[in-house]
Structures are given as structure tokens and as C-alpha cells.
Amino acid sequence: MTDVADDDLEPYEKLHRDGSLWARGQLYEGAEHGYWEFFRKDGTLMRSGSFDRGAQVGEWTTYDKAGAPYKVTDMGGA
């Protein structure tokens, strides 16, 4: 992943239509960068992993509704 100074990262959150948290991470020059988490409408963690300037990289973990990891996908490029 490309190294970016913390000062250059912008915290970002996106909400579902009902106002619950959908995604949380950071942007660099308008693109997802670094570690991100995605949530279901009920607030449980659905997926987590890292982006490198908008591209998914490394291992991404998908979680079941109880919060336990059940799938890991290697996106490469890390």
C-alpha cells in the first residue's frame, strides 16, 4: 500500500438511508485509502479491509451476523 502522511488523510463516514453507519474509513485525494469497515443496517460489522488509493488490496474479511469472520479474500496488491 502507498504510504500517505496522516495529515493528508480525511476521516470519512457514509450512512445508510435510515441514518445508520454504512462505512467508515479515510479518503486520500477523494479515494478510499487505508483500513475501512462496512456495516449492516443493524450495526453489525459486515466486511473490513484496506484500500490503496481506491483499489481494494490485501486480505478482506467478511463477517457473519454474529460478528465472527467466515470468509477471507486476498485482493492482492498489498
Side-chain angles (χ1 to χ4, degrees), residues 4 6 13 15 26 31 35 41 46 51 55-56 59 70 76-77:
V4 173
D6 287 343
E13 289 186 346
L15 304 177
Q26 299 172 353
Y35 180 74
K41 286 185 179 181
M46 182 174 63
F51 285 94
Q56 290 178 296
E59 289 186 347
Y70 79 91

Side-chain angles (χ1 to χ4, degrees), residues 10-26:
E10 174 187 348
Y12 181 81
E13 289 186 346
K14 184 172 183 174
L15 304 177
H16 289 283
R17 285 186 184 191
D18 68 3
S20 62
L21 183 61
W22 179 72
R24 174 176 41 220
Q26 299 172 353

Side-chain angles (χ1 to χ4, degrees), residues 36-52:
W36 276 70
E37 295 176 321
F38 295 85
F39 301 88
R40 294 179 183 85
K41 286 185 179 181
D42 67 7
T44 59
L45 182 62
M46 182 174 63
R47 198 148 198 239
S48 65
S50 294
F51 285 94
D52 186 354

Side-chain angles (χ1 to χ4, degrees), residues 58 63 66:
Y63 303 88

